[in-house]
Amino acid sequence: MEKQLDRVMDEVLTVPGISGCIFSDKQGLCIGVKGKASAESAGIMSAIANQVAKLEPDNKSPIIVYENDNQSCIIQQQGDITAAIYKTGII
Amino acid sequence: MGCCYSYFCDQDSSSQNGEPSERTPLVNPVSNSINNHQINCDDYLIRNANSLPKKTDEQSALNRILQETATDVIDIAALDSHNLQQHEYLDRMKQYSLKLQQACAANKLPQKNNKSILQDIPQPEKVLMTAPLSSSDISLISSIVNKATTAISDIKIEHKEELVASFQIP
């Protein structure tokens, strides 16, 4: 069941600098969220990943980074799963 | 042939009075003018009354040479002292771009093709200069996605109740 996913999310949050993570499916349904992240952003994450994947069709799973001065959001879609992590501090 | 100037000119007075010899200077000795400076102004006027027009001619010629030299020579030291202010730069930039536009319009030059894909980004060099995503972050997000994919694939729906309910219709 989803205990495995919970374990993965807990593991992700132990990485220094990561403040939150969110997982969603291809349609934008939130599968799991933990830390400083909102389940409402799951749809946006999937939509962004889908659009970016069209820019470079040869690249199977592009990594998207949004950043401001003190935080960055890293998104990657692989197969049907889109993962996004929020990282504090400049990359 | 004569010589331009000779040390012996002053001493060799005989040759100056007489016919031109090899020691006769082509140019009048400068010492004349130096001596003139030492005399009083009135004396100068009286003594040189006859030669005054000639002197002024010489003076004007010298002035002309000086002026021509001044126009031909670029004095770098004097240029350095004049620092352009910020608004002067802007004014000149506007002026030059205006002139350029006018020149382009007059010569009907083709408009520069602006086919840059980054034309909607005002300062693309800033965006392009930013450091790329570090390899540790790339491996981190990749491993997270891989783990999440395997974890999600493990999710199975377990039905605990009968989905089909039978109604006991008598």
Side-chain angles (χ1 to χ4, degrees), chain A residues 33-68:
Chain A
V33 60
K34 217 153 215 181
K36 282 184 184 176
S38 166
E40 290 169 9
S41 58
I44 299 166
M45 299 295 176
S46 288
I48 289 168
N50 286 332
Q51 292 299 323
V52 171
K54 290 177 191 168
L55 288 177
E56 287 190 46
D58 294 339
N59 195 342
K60 295 283 180 195
S61 50
I63 298 172
I64 307 135
V65 183
Y66 282 95
E67 58 180 339
N68 62 6

Side-chain angles (χ1 to χ4, degrees), chain B residues 78-141:
Chain B
L79 283 177
D80 283 344
S81 64
H82 179 64
N83 288 324
L84 281 175
Q85 297 298 319
Q86 187 68 28
H87 65 89
E88 282 180 306
Y89 275 118
L90 293 173
D91 285 348
R92 285 189 187 192
M93 196 180 75
K94 277 179 196 166
Q95 195 185 343
Y96 293 159
S97 52
L98 196 70
K99 288 273 179 195
L100 196 64
Q101 278 179 1
Q102 283 173 354
C104 284
N107 294 327
K108 292 184 178 171
L109 286 174
Q111 281 287 320
K112 197 174 145 190
N113 270 342
N114 208 352
K115 285 187 175 171
S116 167
I117 54 164
L118 297 174
Q119 57 187 335
D120 53 341
I121 298 169
Q123 287 172 316
E125 68 272 9
K126 271 192 178 178
V127 179
L128 296 172
M129 264 172 62
T130 50
L133 191 63
S134 65
S135 56
S136 61
D137 283 337
I138 293 174
S139 55
L140 174 72
I141 185 78

Side-chain angles (χ1 to χ4, degrees), chain B residues 41-87:
Chain B
C41 200
D42 293 341
D43 289 347
Y44 178 83
L45 282 173
I46 295 159
R47 284 174 62 177
N48 295 296
N50 299 329
S51 61
L52 198 61
K54 198 188 165 191
K55 274 282 167 196
T56 48
D57 281 355
E58 209 172 287
Q59 199 67 36
S60 64
L62 281 171
N63 280 339
R64 208 184 59 242
I65 290 168
L66 190 67
Q67 210 165 358
E68 279 174 11
T69 315
T71 48
D72 288 347
V73 171
I74 300 167
D75 193 354
I76 294 168
L79 283 177
D80 283 344
S81 64
H82 179 64
N83 288 324
L84 281 175
Q85 297 298 319
Q86 187 68 28
H87 65 89

